Every structure is written in structure tokens, then in C-alpha cells.
Amino acid sequence: MQCLVAKAAAVGATGRLAHRASVRSSPVANVRSPCCVVTPSRRKAFRLSIVASAAPAPGTGLSPELKKAIDEVIAKNKVVVFMKGTRAQPQCGFSARTVAVFMAMEVPFETVNILEDDRLRSGMKEYSQWPTFPQVYINGEFFGGADIVMATAQSGELKEALEAAMMSEGQQLAAQQQQGQEWQQQQQGQEQRDVHTQQCDVAQADTASWACWCFWVVVVVHR
């Protein structure tokens, strides 16, 4: 049995070699259709398509227990930083800079060390659909990574997001009511200005008519 297997393998190898030699000697062998040539750009696009098709939907790769634990941490804290290391001892420069920004702004925030559990580390990439750390959540929503935190800190957007997140429900309601009152006052002021403008137009028209009437009276009298 082993001899037959070895013989079959040898025959198969000989046949394949002969087929390759005949293909290489063929004048058509070196002619490739443009659509069949795998260029670097096509190879890159092909790899990206494979990655996209292989990527699971958000949350599908997380165990129910881990997802529930992450949801609870995010829901209980206004600001959460999933980072490498801790607040006192960051384990990477990006995490250290992110922590420094929030400490400089003097806002309360919670940190979670993803290095303590590989399941948490891989799970957060799946949960946030973000490949790097740190990952910042503000008011229950994913805000971004270190680059976004730095950019928005300089533009002032981060401060606005933190101020909105730190307000209680009563304060948010009061702020909305105040904005509504300010809008009503602006509308009333605009209406008053419009009425005043119309009155001025009418007065000017009356003045012009009176002046015209006086002119004709003077003309008639002099005649």
C-alpha cells in the first residue's frame, strides 16, 4: 500500500512538472490580461475588503457579562478613560497625556486599566470599534482617543462637552428654559424693531405727502 501511494505521488509530481513546462513554453503563457494583474493597489484593496468582511458587527464578539460590566461603568461615570495603566501610573504616553488633560481641567473622571485583563483589552476594541487606547467616554457616548482629546482641548470643544456632561438633569432643564426665554426675548425685540420701522416708514410717507400738498398750495396762491 505504501509503495502504491509513493508511486501515485511520483506520477502526480511528474505530471505537474510536465504541465508547468508546457505552460511556460507556450507563447501565450507570459501574456496576462490587465484585469488579472494584481497591482499593489488592488492587493491593498483586496486585503481591506477581507478585513472588512471578516470584522464582526459591534458587540457580537463580546460576552454578555463583559458587555454588561462595560455598560455599567460607562453609565455610572460621566467621564471614563479606558487606558493602559492607571491614573497614577500610566503605561503609555498617549494615556499619560489624556489623563493630564482631564486633571488640568479639574473634572472628575474614572480610569479603567485594560492591561489587567486581555479579554477587556480585546473587548473594548470591539465595543468601541476603535483599535487603539486610550478610549474616552463622555456622558455615556464614545468621544475618541488621545488625538481627539488633544485637538478638542485646544479648540474648546472638550470643555463644552465636559460642562454639558457635568450638569445635572435639573441644571440642564434650567439651561434649556433659559435658552428658550432668551430666544423669545430676541423674537419680541425683533418684532418691536419691525413695528418701529413700519411706523417710521408711514411717518416719512405722511411727511412727504404733506410737503407735496404744501408745495402745490403755494404754487396756486402765487398764480
Side-chain angles (χ1 to χ4, degrees):
M1 180 65 68
Q2 293 179 352
C3 295
L4 291 176
V5 172
K7 185 176 180 180
V11 172
T14 304
R16 287 194 296 270
L17 292 175
H19 176 71
R20 290 177 183 175
S22 62
V23 170
R24 289 177 181 174
S25 61
S26 174
V28 190
N30 296 324
V31 179
R32 294 184 179 181
S33 174
C35 63
C36 298
V37 178
V38 181
T39 61
S41 60
R42 290 185 179 181
R43 188 180 298 110
K44 183 177 181 182
F46 179 68
R47 289 175 181 172
L48 291 176
S49 65
I50 291 177
V51 172
S53 61
T60 56
L62 294 172
S63 65
E65 296 79 8
L66 180 58
K67 184 178 184 303
K68 181 180 179 181
I70 296 172
D71 289 339
E72 289 178 354
V73 172
I74 294 174
K76 290 179 179 179
N77 299 276
K78 295 291 186 180
V79 181
V80 186
V81 181
F82 295 89
M83 56 179 288
K84 295 180 180 180
T86 63
R87 181 199 306 249
Q89 293 182 342
Q91 297 297 314
C92 77
F94 295 107
S95 296
R97 286 195 288 271
T98 302
V99 168
V101 168
F102 288 116
M103 293 183 68
M105 291 186 170
E106 298 181 350
V107 294
F109 65 98
E110 182 67 30
T111 61
V112 179
N113 186 5
I114 53 96
L115 298 179
E116 293 181 350
D117 193 334
D118 290 337
R119 293 173 300 177
L120 176 61
R121 183 174 184 173
S122 59
M124 282 307 303
K125 295 180 181 181
E126 175 84 16
Y127 186 92
S128 305
Q129 290 294 288
W130 194 262
T132 59
F133 292 95
Q135 297 179 6
V136 178
Y137 279 79
I138 298 178
N139 205 22
E141 296 182 357
F142 178 62
F143 189 79
D147 293 340
I148 295 176
V149 170
M150 301 299 171
T152 53
Q154 294 179 355
S155 65
E157 296 178 14
L158 179 60
K159 182 180 179 181
E160 294 177 358
L162 292 173
E163 289 177 350
M166 295 304 164
M167 287 194 300
S168 63
E169 295 182 359
Q171 290 174 334
Q172 291 179 356
L173 180 60
Q176 293 175 357
Q177 292 176 350
Q178 183 178 357
Q179 291 177 355
Q181 292 176 357
E182 292 177 354
W183 182 82
Q184 290 179 354
Q185 291 176 357
Q186 291 177 358
Q187 291 296 112
Q188 292 176 357
Q190 184 63 39
E191 292 176 357
Q192 292 176 356
R193 287 191 293 271
D194 293 341
V195 171
H196 179 71
T197 302
Q198 293 176 358
Q199 292 176 349
C200 290
D201 293 341
V202 171
Q204 290 177 357
D206 293 341
T207 303
S209 300
W210 175 253
C212 182
W213 183 83
C214 292
F215 172 78
W216 285 111
V217 167
V218 171
V219 171
V220 172
V221 169
H222 281 286
R223 285 183 181 181

